[in-house]
C-alpha cells in the first residue's frame, strides 16, 4: 500500500513538472495479435500508421524502448513511461475470428491519475483495417491534443449546384479534427468553383463535436446572349467561338476569357483595334441577359514592307516572292494588304529559299517584325545576305548501282554556274528515284557541301548509302467498301514478294486516280518483318461512281437540245461500265445503251457492246436508225491501247424534200451500214477531268462497206498535251484532222462527213455550224477538216476543283474539190469555267468569233454541260 502511495505522489509531482511541455512525448507498443492465421506483420504496421499521424501533429515518438515480455497491468506501463520520460503510452490488441476483427486500444497518461481511456472498433475483411486504424488515430489525436472532431458538414443556400458537387471540393471531412486553417482553404476552394457570388463558413458545438456549415449564394444563369456592334462576323459565327452559352452560370473569369476570344477572332481578320466589352441585365429568378458589345474599329492593312540588309536584290524583286503585299489602290476589291501571319512566315522562308537558290548559302532572314501604328501595319524584314558562291567540283561517292558517269548524267548542279539548293534537292530526288527503281527503297543520299571562302565556290559531293534491296512483303488495301480488291490490284504494276520500285508505285497511284473511282488515295510504306521487306499500305476514299448527267447546247439543226444519261462506271465493284443515254431536241431523239467490261478473262482486254435507236428530223429529210456494235481493246504498251470494233446500222431515210442534197435523195428508204474501226490510243493524262499533265494521241481508221449500201474510208488523227506551268496553272495544246473518202459503188451520207462548231471543237460557232454547202446552200459536211485548240487553265479554288480557262480555237472544213488551206482557218477565242462539283463535272464556256462573217453570231456564245453524281 505504501508503494502505490509513493508512486501516486511521484506522478502528481512529475505531472506538474511537465505541464508546460508543448509537444507530448509518446510511446507506442507493438500490438498483440490474436488470430489463427499468421498476420503478425500487423503487430508493427498498425503502430507505424498511428506514429505517422501523431508526428504530423508535432508529437514526439519515443522508439527503441525495452519492455518486459509480460506486462501485467497499466501501473507497470506507467512506470515504464516515467522511466523513459513519456507523457503517454499506447498499447493495443488485434483480434481476428474468421473475416471479422476488432481493434482494442488503451491510452495511458503517464503523469496523471486520469483513468485509462479505451478505444474500440470492429470491422470485416482484413483489407479494411487501414481505414479503421486512421479512424482510431483521429480519436487519439483529438484526445491528446484536446481537439474537437467535425461531426457534421452541411451545405446551405444552394439551389442549382448539388451539395455533393460542392463537398467534393472541400478537403475537410466528417470525423476529421476540426481545423480553422483547413476550413479557410476549403472556403477558397468552394469560391474557386466559380459558381457563387458569396461563400461563408460557420461552426457550432454540438454534442458529438463540431457542426460546420457552408453558406453559398449562387451566381445567376445566362438566359440570352446578345452580340452587338458586329459587322465583320455574324452573331452566330461569334457565338460558335464562345465557351459559354445560354444556361451557363455567369462566371467573370469565363466572361473575360470570351472577351479575349472575340478579340482574337477579329484580329484574324486584321481588326487589331477592336474593343470588346460586356454588360449584364438582371432578370427574375436569378437570371441575366448577357450583351457582348463590339467596337470593331477599322480593318488594318499592310501599308509598308521594308527590307533591311538587302544588297543583291531590290525590294521590288523580293516583294514579288511574297504572298503578303502592301495595300493597293483597289485593295477594297482585291486582297492586297491583307495581313496573315502564316503567309508572312511563309514569305520569310520563300525569301531565304530564293537567296539560297541563287548562291547565297549563308543567307539568314530574321523573323518579320510587325508593327501596328496609325491604323496601318508596318512590316520590317532584316536580311544578312552573306556572299554568293559558285559551283565548284561535283562528285559522287559511296555505293554505286551504275557507273559514276551514268549517275552523274542525272546530276543537274554540275551544269549550273551558281549554287542552287533547289537544284541540289532535285538531284537528290532523281538519284533516289534511280536507286528506288532498282529496289533500294531506303537509299540514303546526302550532299556534302564544302565551301571555299577564298574562291567563293562550293564543292558538292553526293554521298550514297544504298542499303539493302527491299521487297514488297505485303500490299494492304483499305477504305474500299465497294470496289473489289482485284480491281485495285490489277492497276498496280507492283506485286507482293517483288522488288521495290518507286517509279512503278507512282504509276500505280496514277492508274488508280485515272479510274475515277476514288476521291483520295493515300499511300504509306512501313518496314516489314525484316530490314529487306516492306509493307505497302493503300488507303482509299471512294466517291460516287454512278452519274446522272444532263447538258444542253445549240445547233443549226436543233436550235436548242438537252441530253441526259444515267451511268454506272463501277458496276458491282468490278469496274464494269453501264450507260443509258438519251438526247431530246426539237427534231432529234436519241437513245443509247452501252456496256463495257474493262478486264475480260482478268487480263487487260476490254470488251463491250452498244445498242442505239436514233430519230432525226433534218431540214430536208428524216432519218430513223437502229444499230449496235461490239468493241474490244488491249493494252499493248505503257499507256497505249489498241482498239477494234464492229458496228451494224439500219437507217431509214424518208420525208425527203425537193431541195435535199442529191446524196440523200439517192438514199431514200432503208440503208445498211456495216463498219469496222481500228484505232491506236496513247493516254498518259493524270486525270480524266481537269488533267494537270500528260498527253493523249489517237490514230483511227474506219472502213465501212462490208456489205450494205453505205461505204467509205475514214482517217482521224488527234493529239493533245497538258503541261504544268507557273503558279499551278496548266497549258493545253490540241490538234485534230480527218479525211473521209467514198468507196466505189457505195454511198457516203452527209451525216458521216465532217462538221465543226460547238463545245468540243470551235467554241463561238454554233454546233456543226462550219460545213461546206451544196448549190442550194444546204450544209452537206466536208471530207476533210483541221482543228487546233490552245487552252490556259487557271485553278481558281483548288480544293473545290474550280478551274478557269482561256482558249483560242482555229480550224476549218473543206469539201472534195477544195484543197486544205491553212491560211484560211476560222478563228475564235473566249473563256469559261470548269468545276468538278459534288454533283459531277460542269463546263460553262463562252466563245467569240474573231473573223465574223455575215449571218454569223454577234457577241459571245455560251455552251454548257453539267452532271450530277450518285
Amino acid at each position: 500500500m505504501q508503494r502505490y502511495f509513493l508512486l501516486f505522489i511521484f506522478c502528481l509531482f512529475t505531472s506538474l513538472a511537465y505541464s508546460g511541455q508543448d509537444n507530448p512525448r509518446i510511446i507506442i507498443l507493438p500490438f498483440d495479435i490474436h488470430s489463427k492465421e499468421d498476420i503478425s506483420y500487423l503487430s508493427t504496421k498498425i503502430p507505424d500508421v498511428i506514429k505517422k499521424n501523431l508526428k504530423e501533429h508535432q508529437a514526439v515518438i519515443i522508439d527503441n524502448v525495452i519492455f518486459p515480455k509480460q506486462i501485467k497491468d497499466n501501473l507497470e506501463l506507467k512506470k515504464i513511461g516515467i522511466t523513459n520520460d513519456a507523457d503517454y503510452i499506447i498499447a493495443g490488441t488485434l483480434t481476428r475470428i474468421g473475416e471479422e476483427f476488432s481493434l482494442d486500444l488503451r491510452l495511458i497518461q503517464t503523469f496523471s491519475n486520469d483513468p485509462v481511456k479505451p478505444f474500440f472498433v470492429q470491422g470485416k475483411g482484413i483489407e479494411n483495417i487501414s481505414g479503421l486504424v486512421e479512424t482510431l488515430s483521429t480519436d487519439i489525436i483529438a484526445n491528446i491534443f484536446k481537439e474537437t472532431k467535425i461531426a457534421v458538414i452541411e451545405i446551405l443556400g444552394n439551389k442549382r449546384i448539388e451539395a455533393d458537387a460542392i463537398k467534393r471540393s472541400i478537403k475537410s471531412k466528417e470525423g476529421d479534427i476540426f481545423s480553422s486553417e483547413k476550413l479557410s482553404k476549403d472556403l477558397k476552394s468552394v469560391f474557386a468553383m466559380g459558381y457563387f457570388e458569396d461563400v461563408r463558413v460557420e461552426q457550432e458545438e454540438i454534442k458529438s463535436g463540431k457542426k460546420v456549415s457552408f453558406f453559398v449564394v449562387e451566381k445567376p444563369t445566362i438566359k440570352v446572349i446578345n452580340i452587338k456592334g458586329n459587322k465583320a462576323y455574324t452573331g452566330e459565327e461569334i457565338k460558335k467561338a464562345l465557351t459559354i452559352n445560354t444556361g451557363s452560370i455567369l462566371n467573370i473569369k469565363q466572361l473575360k476569357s470570351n472577351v479575349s476570344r472575340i478579340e482574337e477572332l477579329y484580329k484574324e481578320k486584321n481588326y487589331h483595334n477592336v474593343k470588346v466589352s460586356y454588360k449584364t441585365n438582371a432578370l427574375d429568378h436569378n437570371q441575366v441577359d448577357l450583351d457582348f458589345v463590339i467596337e470593331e474599329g477599322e480593318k488594318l492593312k499592310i501599308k509598308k514592307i521594308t527590307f533591311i540588309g538587302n544588297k543583291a536584290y531590290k525590294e521590288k524583286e523580293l516583294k514579288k516572292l511574297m504572298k503578303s503585299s502592301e495595300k493597293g489602290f483597289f485593295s477594297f476589291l482585291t486582297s492586297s494588304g491583307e495581313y496573315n501571319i502564316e503567309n508572312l512566315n511563309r514569305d520569310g522562308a520563300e525569301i531565304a529559299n530564293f537567296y539560297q537558290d541563287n548562291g547565297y548559302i549563308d543567307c539568314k532572314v530574321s523573323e518579320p517584325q510587325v508593327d501596328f501604328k496609325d491604323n496601318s501595319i508596318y512590316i520590317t524584314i532584316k536580311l544578312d545576305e552573306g556572299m554568293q558562291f559558285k559551283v565548284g567540283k561535283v562528285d559522287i561517292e559511296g555505293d554505286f548501282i551504275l557507273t559514276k558517269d551514268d549517275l552523274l548524267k542525272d546530276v543537274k548542279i554540275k551544269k549550273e554556274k551558281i549554287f542552287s539548293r533547289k537544284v541540289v534537292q532535285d538531284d537528290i530526288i532523281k538519284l533516289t528515284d534511280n536507286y528506288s527503281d532498282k529496289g533500294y527503297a531506303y537509299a540514303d543520299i546526302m550532299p556534302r557541301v564544302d565551301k571555299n571562302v577564298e574562291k567563293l565556290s562550293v564543292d558538292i559531293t553526293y554521298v550514297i548509302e544504298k542499303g539493302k534491296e527491299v521487297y514488297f512483303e505485303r500490299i494492304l488495301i483499305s477504305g474500299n467498301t465497294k470496289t473489289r480488291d482485284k480491281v485495285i490490284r490489277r492497276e498496280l504494276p507492283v506485286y507482293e514478294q517483288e522488288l521495290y520500285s518507286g517509279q512503278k508505285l507512282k504509276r500505280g497511284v496514277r492508274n488508280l486516280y485515272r479510274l475515277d473511282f476514288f476521291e483520295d488515295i493515300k499511300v504509306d510504306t512501313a518496314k516489314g518483318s525484316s530490314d529487306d521487306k516492306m509493307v505497302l499500305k493503300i488507303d482509299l476514299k471512294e466517291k460516287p461512281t454512278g452519274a446522272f448527267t444532263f447538258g444542253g447546247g445549240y445547233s443549226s439543226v436543233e436550235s436548242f437540245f438537252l441530253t441526259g444519261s444515267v451511268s454506272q462506271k463501277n458496276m458491282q465493284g468490278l469496274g464494269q461500265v453501264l450507260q443509258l443515254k438519251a438526247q431530246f431536241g426539237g427534231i432529234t431523239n436519241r437513245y443509247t445503251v452501252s456496256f463495257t467490261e474493262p478486264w475480260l478473262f482478268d487480263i487487260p482486254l476490254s470488251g463491250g457492246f452498244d445498242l442505239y435507236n436514233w430519230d432525226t428530223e433534218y431540214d430536208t429529210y428524216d432519218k430513223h436508225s437502229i444499230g449496235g456494235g461490239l468493241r474490244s481493246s488491249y493494252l499493248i504498251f505503257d499507256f497505249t491501247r489498241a482498239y477494234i470494233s464492229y458496228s451494224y446500222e439500219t437507217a431509214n431515210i424518208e420525208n425527203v424534200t425537193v431541195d435535199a442534197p442529191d446524196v440523200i435523195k439517192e438514199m431514200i428508204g432503208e440503208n445498211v451500214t456495216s463498219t469496222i474501226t481500228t484505232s491506236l490510243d496513247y493516254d498518259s493524262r493524270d486525270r480524266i477531268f481537269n488533267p494537270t499533265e500528260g498527253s493523249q494521241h489517237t490514230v483511227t481508221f474506219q472502213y465501212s462497206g462490208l456489205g450494205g449500201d453505205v461505204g467509205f474510208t475514214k482517217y482521224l488523227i488527234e493529239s493533245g498535251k497538258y503541261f504544268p506551268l507557273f503558279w499551278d496553272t496548266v497549258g493545253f495544246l490540241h490538234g485534230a484532222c480527218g479525211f473521209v473518202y467514198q468507196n466505189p459503188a457505195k454511198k457516203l451520207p452527209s451525216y458521216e462527213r465532217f462538221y465543226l462548231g460547238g463545245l468540243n471543237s470551235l467554241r463561238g460557232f454554233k454546233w456543226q455550224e462550219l460545213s461546206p454547202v451544196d448549190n442550194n446552200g444546204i450544209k452537206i459536211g466536208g471530207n476533210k477538216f483541221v482543228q487546233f485548240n490552245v487552252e490556259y487553265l487557271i485553278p481558281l479554288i483548288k480544293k473545290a476543283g474550280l478551274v478557269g480557262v482561256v482558249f483560242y480555237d482555229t480550224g476549218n472544213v473543206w469539201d472534195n474539190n477544195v484543197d486544205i488551206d491553212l491560211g484560211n482557218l476560222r478563228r475564235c477565242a473566249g473563256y469559261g469555267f470548269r468545276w468538278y462539283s459534288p454533283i459531277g463535272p460542269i463546263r460553262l464556256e463562252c466563245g467569240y468569233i474573231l473573223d465574223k462573217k455575215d449571218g454569223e453570231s454577234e457577241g459571245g456564245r455560251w455552251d454548257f454541260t453539267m452532271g450530277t453524281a450518285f
Side-chain angles (χ1 to χ4, degrees):
M1 188 70 182
Q2 184 180 9
R3 179 168 64 91
Y4 288 111
F5 176 75
L6 292 173
L7 181 60
F8 169 76
I9 295 299
F10 178 76
C11 290
L12 179 62
F13 174 77
T14 52
S15 67
L16 293 172
Y18 288 94
S19 62
Q21 291 186 354
D22 294 326
N23 304 105
R25 296 165 57 82
I26 303 169
I27 296 173
I28 304 176
L29 277 63
F31 272 47
D32 294 331
I33 306 298
H34 303 292
S35 174
K36 289 183 180 180
E37 298 179 11
D38 184 15
I39 53 173
S40 57
Y41 66 93
L42 293 174
S43 175
T44 54
K45 187 174 180 180
I46 294 172
D48 286 342
V49 174
I50 299 172
K51 288 178 184 179
K52 175 179 171 294
N53 291 328
L54 285 168
K55 285 180 180 179
E56 289 178 357
H57 281 70
Q58 309 304 317
V60 177
I61 306 300
I62 303 173
D63 291 318
N64 302 319
V65 178
I66 299 173
F67 292 92
K69 289 185 179 181
Q70 297 293 329
I71 301 177
K72 295 181 180 180
D73 53 31
N74 295 331
L75 198 59
E76 289 186 51
L77 289 174
K78 277 194 175 188
K79 186 176 180 182
I80 293 171
I82 292 169
T83 304
N84 288 277
D85 196 18
D87 298 310
Y88 295 93
I89 294 179
I90 298 173
T93 303
L94 170 62
T95 304
R96 184 184 182 194
I97 302 173
E99 284 295 309
E100 296 184 351
F101 65 87
S102 63
L103 277 169
D104 298 272
L105 187 144
R106 290 174 289 163
L107 178 64
I108 304 168
Q109 193 168 353
T110 307
F111 301 107
S112 171
N113 285 326
D114 291 345
V116 174
K117 293 188 177 179
F119 299 88
F120 173 76
V121 290
Q122 285 182 313
K124 187 175 183 180
I126 197 74
E127 69 276 3
N128 295 318
I129 286 180
S130 60
L132 293 175
V133 172
E134 292 288 344
T135 300
L136 281 176
S137 298
T138 302
D139 292 340
I140 292 169
I141 290 167
N143 194 282
I144 291 175
F145 291 93
K146 310 301 181 187
E147 293 179 337
T148 306
K149 291 199 300 182
I150 298 174
V152 177
I153 296 177
E154 64 178 1
I155 310 296
L156 302 173
N158 58 308
K159 295 177 181 178
R160 296 186 307 271
I161 311 302
E162 294 183 0
D164 287 343
I166 301 171
K167 285 184 176 180
R168 280 194 291 270
S169 69
I170 297 172
K171 301 298 182 185
S172 300
K173 305 298 177 188
E174 293 175 354
D176 288 354
I177 301 298
F178 178 84
S179 169
S180 298
E181 182 181 351
K182 197 172 181 181
L183 284 176
S184 178
K185 293 179 180 179
D186 288 336
L187 184 145
K188 293 178 182 178
S189 296
V190 174
F191 199 83
M193 292 175 72
Y195 300 143
F196 308 109
E197 292 278 5
D198 187 32
V199 181
R200 59 189 175 88
V201 179
E202 294 183 1
Q203 52 89 15
E204 64 175 299
E205 295 283 351
I206 59 175
K207 187 176 182 181
S208 54
K210 291 274 191 181
K211 181 170 79 170
V212 177
S213 301
F214 286 83
F215 293 89
V216 297
V217 178
E218 292 179 338
K219 290 181 176 179
T221 56
I222 300 170
K223 185 177 182 181
V224 176
I225 298 176
N226 298 309
I227 310 296
K228 297 183 178 180
N230 54 302
K231 294 178 182 177
Y233 291 96
T234 66
E236 290 304 314
E237 287 175 321
I238 294 173
K239 287 179 182 179
K240 285 180 181 178
L242 302 178
T243 60
I244 56 175
N245 49 42
T246 301
S248 297
I249 292 173
L250 189 67
N251 185 312
I252 301 302
K253 187 176 180 181
Q254 272 192 319
L255 285 180
K256 291 180 179 178
S257 171
N258 280 275
V259 165
S260 298
R261 291 177 74 91
I262 296 173
E263 289 175 346
E264 288 302 317
L265 192 66
Y266 268 84
K267 288 176 181 177
E268 288 176 8
K269 282 194 175 182
N270 293 321
Y271 289 89
H272 293 273
N273 292 329
V274 63
K275 293 180 181 178
V276 182
S277 60
Y278 66 87
K279 63 179 182 179
T280 59
N281 302 310
L283 304 173
D284 295 336
H285 310 296
N286 202 23
Q287 290 183 315
V288 296
D289 284 345
L290 173 63
D291 295 341
F292 284 103
V293 182
I294 302 170
E295 296 178 32
E296 292 182 339
E298 291 186 14
K299 186 175 184 178
L300 303 191
K301 291 204 171 188
I302 300 170
K303 186 173 183 178
K304 181 67 177 172
I305 299 175
T306 304
F307 291 90
I308 298 176
N310 57 306
K311 299 175 183 177
Y313 299 99
K314 296 179 180 178
E315 276 194 358
K316 187 176 181 180
E317 294 176 271
L318 297 179
K319 288 176 181 177
K320 288 180 180 178
L321 302 171
M322 301 176 66
K323 200 165 185 179
S324 305
S325 63
E326 295 171 343
K327 177 181 176 181
F329 183 77
F330 294 103
S331 61
F332 61 94
L333 294 175
T334 68
S335 60
S336 67
E338 291 285 349
Y339 170 70
N340 183 296
I341 186 62
E342 291 181 3
N343 287 344
L344 191 58
N345 290 333
R346 170 195 166 278
D347 292 337
E350 282 295 316
I351 293 168
N353 291 340
F354 173 75
Y355 269 92
Q356 291 173 4
D357 288 340
N358 285 278
Y360 294 90
I361 59 178
D362 295 325
C363 175
K364 296 177 182 177
V365 180
S366 66
E367 184 176 341
Q369 178 183 328
V370 183
D371 297 311
F372 302 95
K373 294 186 295 186
D374 302 327
N375 294 326
S376 295
I377 302 172
Y378 297 83
I379 295 173
T380 304
I381 300 175
K382 295 181 181 179
L383 304 172
D384 181 1
E385 293 180 335
M387 304 300 292
Q388 188 181 47
F389 286 79
K390 298 177 293 184
V391 175
K393 295 179 181 178
V394 179
D395 198 7
I396 297 177
E397 64 181 43
D399 303 326
F400 295 158
I401 57 171
L402 301 171
T403 66
K404 182 186 290 189
D405 290 339
D406 287 336
L407 290 172
L408 282 170
K409 288 178 183 178
D410 290 325
V411 174
K412 305 298 183 187
I413 192 66
K414 63 187 179 68
K415 300 177 183 178
E416 301 288 329
K417 291 183 179 180
I418 302 299
F419 175 83
S420 170
R421 189 184 68 169
K422 183 180 184 303
V423 176
V424 171
Q425 290 172 338
D426 291 343
D427 286 343
I428 293 171
I429 292 171
K430 180 60 179 174
L431 290 170
T432 302
D433 286 344
N434 287 343
Y435 275 74
S436 71
D437 285 341
K438 303 296 182 182
Y440 297 96
Y442 301 123
D444 186 17
I445 301 175
M446 294 293 294
R448 187 174 67 234
V449 179
D450 299 316
K451 292 188 297 183
N452 188 324
V453 179
E454 293 180 358
K455 295 181 179 180
L456 290 179
S457 65
V458 176
D459 295 336
I460 304 152
T461 304
Y462 296 99
V463 182
I464 302 174
E465 292 183 15
K466 66 181 183 181
K468 294 182 179 180
E469 287 185 315
V470 178
Y471 294 81
F472 287 112
E473 182 177 19
R474 286 179 297 159
I475 298 176
L476 304 178
I477 299 172
S478 61
N480 53 317
T481 58
K482 179 181 179 181
T483 309
R484 302 192 189 186
D485 267 23
K486 77 171 187 176
V487 173
I488 298 165
R489 289 179 184 273
R490 70 194 185 193
E491 299 295 332
L492 300 174
V494 296
Y495 306 95
E496 292 174 335
Q497 309 308 319
E498 183 187 53
L499 200 62
Y500 175 89
S501 170
Q503 193 65 31
K504 286 184 178 180
L505 183 55
K506 290 177 184 177
R507 171 67 188 278
V509 173
R510 173 180 280 202
N511 289 348
L512 291 176
Y513 270 115
R514 282 173 51 82
L515 285 176
D516 206 27
F517 297 168
F518 309 108
E519 185 177 321
D520 190 27
I521 301 170
K522 293 180 180 178
V523 177
D524 190 23
T525 55
K527 285 192 175 182
S529 57
S530 59
D531 290 342
D532 63 344
K533 292 181 180 179
M534 173 187 287
V535 176
L536 173 62
K537 299 178 181 178
I538 299 177
D539 185 22
L540 306 164
K541 184 178 181 181
E542 291 183 315
K543 66 180 180 182
T545 53
F548 166 69
T549 65
F550 68 94
Y554 294 87
S555 76
S556 58
V557 177
E558 293 282 352
S559 183
F560 181 77
F561 67 90
L562 291 173
T563 63
S565 70
V566 177
S567 66
Q568 175 54 261
K569 57 189 175 186
N570 189 15
M571 279 185 62
Q572 301 176 340
L574 292 170
Q576 298 169 336
V577 181
L578 177 65
Q579 184 180 49
L580 287 79
K581 187 176 181 181
Q583 176 177 316
F584 306 96
I587 54 176
T588 301
N589 293 320
R590 296 184 181 186
Y591 307 93
T592 306
V593 177
S594 63
F595 173 80
T596 304
E597 166 54 69
W599 280 66
L600 276 172
F601 316 118
D602 285 331
I603 61 174
L605 172 67
S606 75
F609 66 83
D610 303 282
L611 300 172
Y612 59 89
N613 185 335
W614 291 358
D615 286 316
T616 307
E617 296 179 8
Y618 293 102
D619 289 340
T620 57
Y621 66 95
D622 294 344
K623 174 176 175 273
H624 175 67
S625 57
I626 297 176
L630 298 174
R631 49 189 161 73
S632 181
S633 72
Y634 188 77
L635 184 67
I636 56 174
F637 304 116
D638 207 16
F639 300 117
T640 305
R641 275 188 174 272
Y643 292 83
I644 186 169
S645 64
Y646 171 77
S647 63
Y648 184 90
E649 177 187 277
T650 300
N652 191 25
I653 305 296
E654 54 189 14
N655 299 327
V656 179
T657 64
V658 293
D659 58 348
D662 292 340
V663 66
I664 293 299
K665 292 178 180 178
E666 295 172 1
M667 296 179 64
I668 295 174
E670 188 175 279
N671 299 271
V672 173
T673 305
S674 177
T675 306
I676 188 167
T677 304
T678 62
S679 65
L680 194 64
D681 182 77
Y682 174 90
D683 189 353
S684 63
R685 294 174 297 168
D686 57 348
R687 285 176 173 82
I688 302 300
F689 192 82
N690 284 350
T692 59
E693 61 179 341
S695 58
Q696 184 177 23
H697 314 293
T698 306
V699 178
T700 302
F701 170 76
Q702 189 175 358
Y703 180 83
S704 179
L706 303 174
D709 309 290
V710 175
F712 59 85
T713 303
K714 186 181 288 187
Y715 303 90
L716 290 168
I717 301 174
E718 185 174 4
S719 179
K721 181 174 178 60
Y722 294 86
F723 44 93
L725 299 173
F726 48 88
W727 298 333
D728 293 330
T729 59
V730 176
F732 174 56
L733 297 177
H734 174 263
C737 65
F739 302 86
V740 61
Y741 302 100
Q742 182 175 335
N743 293 341
K746 298 289 183 177
K747 303 171 185 176
L748 175 59
S750 57
Y751 51 78
E752 291 291 356
R753 293 163 71 89
F754 298 120
Y755 303 83
L756 288 180
L759 194 59
N760 294 313
S761 59
L762 269 66
R763 291 154 283 191
F765 291 95
K766 298 176 183 179
W767 182 68
Q768 293 192 353
E769 183 175 359
L770 293 179
S771 166
V773 298
D774 63 9
N775 295 330
N776 298 316
I778 302 298
K779 292 177 181 175
I780 59 173
N783 80 317
K784 48 189 165 293
F785 82 96
V786 172
Q787 170 189 336
F788 299 102
N789 309 93
V790 180
E791 293 183 353
Y792 180 54
L793 303 164
I794 309 161
L796 301 177
I797 305 177
K798 197 170 182 180
K799 269 190 175 181
L802 180 62
V803 173
V805 58
V806 179
F807 61 82
Y808 173 81
D809 301 332
T810 185
N812 212 337
V813 186
W814 296 272
D815 204 356
N816 294 10
N817 55 354
V818 179
D819 294 331
I820 293 177
D821 182 6
L822 296 181
N824 186 29
L825 300 182
R826 302 302 307 275
R827 297 175 293 115
C828 54
Y831 62 94
F833 305 94
R834 295 173 188 174
W835 182 24
Y836 208 147
S837 73
I839 64 169
I842 295 176
R843 285 181 65 183
L844 179 63
E845 296 171 20
C846 179
Y848 295 83
I849 300 173
L850 301 180
D851 52 355
K852 189 176 71 67
K853 297 181 179 180
D854 292 341
E856 291 180 341
S857 303
E858 296 280 350
R861 179 174 191 83
W862 287 95
D863 280 303
F864 73 93
T865 180
M866 63 184 69
T868 182
F870 64 89

